[in-house]
């Protein structure tokens, strides 16, 4: 059991994992902030979903006309484009959330802890 422990600890002792631990509260806050729904990604994904719906309508029309091969090809292209849009939006959104969390950590969280320590030192003297 003691031999396994360092192996299991390795992912949690990397620099990136330690960084995520430091900004974890900021990550939590930025994940629930309303900016996410107004982010560029949300607008981009909304358009992507609209395009997916239009592609499905086109495919339905092609199926009614009996053009099954063309319908399958159209659906495959639309599905691939939709998936790539979501992948890129996920990556972009992740970067934005990490960036906002980092800024919050540096400018708000760290200063709040400093202030709390000063207040605690002042209150505990008396």
């Amino acid at each position: 059991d003691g031999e396994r422990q360092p192996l299991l600890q390795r992912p949690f002792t990397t620099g990136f994992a330690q960084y995520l631990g430091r900004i974890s509260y900021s990550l939590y806050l930025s994940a629930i902030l309303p900016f996410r729904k107004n982010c560029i990604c949300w607008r981009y994904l909304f358009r992507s979903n609209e395009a997916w719906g239009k592609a499905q309508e086109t495919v339905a029309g092609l199926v009614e006309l009996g053009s099954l091969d063309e319908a399958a090809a159209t659906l495959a292209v639309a599905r691939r484009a939709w998936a790539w849009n979501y992948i890129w939006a996920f990556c972009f959104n992740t970067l934005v959330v990490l960036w906002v969390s980092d800024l919050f950590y540096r400018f708000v969280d760290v200063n709040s802890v400093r202030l709390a320590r000063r207040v605690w030192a002042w209150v505990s003297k008396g």
Side-chain angles (χ1 to χ4, degrees), residues 1 19-20 28 33-34 45 47 49 51 59-60 75 86 104 113:
D1 213 25
Y19 170 73
L20 289 178
Y28 165 73
L33 286 176
L45 290 176
R47 288 188 208 118
N49 286 334
V59 166
L75 191 60
Y86 267 80
F104 184 87
V113 170

Side-chain angles (χ1 to χ4, degrees), residues 22-97:
R22 278 192 306 275
I23 68 166
S24 63
Y25 183 66
S26 303
L27 275 171
Y28 165 73
L29 290 178
S30 66
I32 60 172
L33 286 176
F35 87 89
R36 289 184 67 208
K37 294 249 178 187
N38 297 321
C39 188
I40 295 168
C41 287
W42 187 257
R43 293 177 189 148
Y44 186 68
L45 290 176
F46 184 74
R47 288 188 208 118
S48 180
N49 286 334
E50 283 182 340
W52 173 251
K54 289 177 184 175
Q56 287 179 324
E57 290 172 9
T58 302
V59 166
L62 290 170
V63 167
E64 286 179 14
L65 294 174
S67 304
L68 298 180
D69 291 337
E70 190 177 347
T74 302
L75 191 60
V77 168
R79 185 176 293 137
R80 200 171 308 118
W82 180 80
W84 276 112
N85 285 340
Y86 267 80
I87 289 169
W88 284 114
F90 171 79
C91 292
F92 182 77
N93 193 47
T94 300
L95 290 174
V96 168
V97 167

Side-chain angles (χ1 to χ4, degrees), residues 78-124:
R79 185 176 293 137
R80 200 171 308 118
W82 180 80
W84 276 112
N85 285 340
Y86 267 80
I87 289 169
W88 284 114
F90 171 79
C91 292
F92 182 77
N93 193 47
T94 300
L95 290 174
V96 168
V97 167
L98 285 173
W99 179 64
V100 168
S101 298
D102 185 71
L103 290 176
F104 184 87
Y105 171 75
R106 290 174 192 237
F107 297 112
V108 177
D109 199 19
V110 170
N111 292 325
S112 297
V113 170
R114 283 184 192 149
L115 178 63
R117 285 184 182 152
R118 285 183 193 152
V119 169
W120 174 254
W122 178 68
V123 170
S124 63

